[in-house]
Amino acid sequence: MWSVSYIFMYTAFYAALISKCFCQKKVTATFTDPRTGITFERFFGVKTSFSFGIALPETANNSFIGQLSFPLNDGAGWGGWSLTDDMEGPLLMAAWADGGKVVSSFRQAFNEDDNPPEVTGNFRARPIAAGTSANSSLFTYTFLCEGCLDDALGLGAAATSGTVKMGWAFGSEKVGNPASPAAILNFHNKGFGGFQARLAQAKNGKFDEWAAMAGAPLAPATNASPITSKKKKNKGNKGNKGEGSGNASDDDSDDDD
């Protein structure tokens, strides 16, 4: 029969192992996109197949290259990223398909219930066509995000020297009026939450070469309002805030790969 001390040591060992596993969850990993050759630090959800990648210049400035990719349900669905793990306040981007066309807009949420309104400011998205496509089952959007790194938006260039918290959201329902950047977004029923973005590892000397692939900047939504400054900036790695979804079984709680 096992002694009490042995049982205690056994339990403590596995508790520490489980704790370590949870701490390692939702951290970006290096990924090179085969279509563009761009190397990202990418968050990937095993359950949802949602991913968001980010690439940065060696010397930080206010821009980054991003890539959103997620499965579509007969062409329906949307995905998004946030500059922090808090959905309320920071700069967000949402993207979806309108047939074979990719549509996106910058947003800012003030609560978790209402459709986040479109915003405009000193930032803009420039699509990279070689890494952008949409069909009935898969959506991929690669873009240069100019002027998107600013403390007032939630994440400044100075924070890119380490690991910071960013956010993601993914819904499988069709958006309302998909042809418009002001489309109505349904609830992110497939999952949402935070992840640790290893921004120091996202820096690459080829950034300018990759950024040169970007096309013309997209015009903001017609009725977009000036973004409201987010006073609480992203201060880096302090653990995940947590996550949830409309259906707990759909919530992406697996390790990243």
Side-chain angles (χ1 to χ4, degrees):
M1 188 172 182
W2 291 356
S3 67
V4 173
S5 60
Y6 185 86
I7 293 174
F8 176 80
M9 291 176 62
Y10 183 90
T11 303
F13 171 79
Y14 277 95
L17 182 62
I18 291 170
S19 176
K20 181 179 180 182
C21 290
F22 274 110
C23 289
Q24 290 176 341
K25 286 186 175 184
K26 296 182 174 35
V27 180
T28 59
T30 302
F31 166 78
T32 299
D33 175 34
R35 295 194 296 176
T36 61
I38 299 173
T39 298
F40 296 97
E41 271 298 309
R42 184 182 71 155
F43 162 70
F44 179 79
V46 176
K47 284 186 177 180
T48 61
S49 293
F50 171 96
S51 70
F52 173 71
I54 184 168
L56 295 162
E58 282 187 315
T59 301
N61 56 35
N62 61 5
S63 300
F64 67 85
I65 296 172
Q67 185 180 73
L68 270 172
S69 185
F70 48 86
L72 296 176
N73 179 20
D74 194 21
W78 67 275
W81 54 265
S82 166
L83 286 181
T84 78
D85 65 340
D86 188 348
M87 293 182 65
E88 299 178 24
L91 180 67
L92 319 172
M93 175 188 279
W96 57 92
D98 178 30
K101 181 182 178 182
V102 168
V103 186
S104 70
S105 59
F106 290 108
R107 309 271 178 135
Q108 185 176 33
F110 299 99
N111 60 64
E112 295 187 1
D113 298 320
D114 297 326
N115 177 61
E118 309 79 58
V119 292
T120 186
N122 295 322
F123 46 82
R124 56 186 185 174
R126 294 174 55 191
I128 296 176
T132 299
S133 62
N135 55 38
S136 62
S137 60
L138 182 64
F139 177 99
T140 302
Y141 179 34
T142 308
F143 56 93
L144 174 63
C145 205
E146 291 184 322
C148 295
L149 296 179
D150 189 313
D151 286 338
L153 304 177
L155 176 62
T160 63
S161 60
T163 297
V164 304
K165 297 178 290 184
M166 298 184 72
W168 66 282
F170 177 30
S172 63
E173 301 298 321
K174 185 177 181 179
V175 303
N177 191 19
S180 170
I184 304 299
L185 307 178
N186 292 299
F187 183 69
H188 35 62
N189 63 313
K190 298 301 287 185
F192 65 98
F195 62 91
Q196 302 290 348
R198 303 189 311 164
L199 298 188
Q201 287 85 342
K203 296 182 179 183
N204 198 295
K206 293 184 177 180
F207 181 88
D208 290 342
E209 175 186 333
W210 298 334
M213 294 189 286
L218 300 178
T222 304
N223 296 320
S225 301
I227 193 167
T228 301
S229 174
K230 178 178 172 59
K231 295 180 180 180
K232 184 179 179 181
K233 65 181 180 180
N234 196 325
K235 294 184 179 180
N237 186 348
K238 293 187 178 179
N240 286 325
K241 179 182 178 182
E243 61 179 297
S245 81
N247 183 338
S249 65
D250 288 331
D251 191 34
D252 200 325
S253 59
D254 285 297
D255 289 344
D256 309 323
D257 63 10

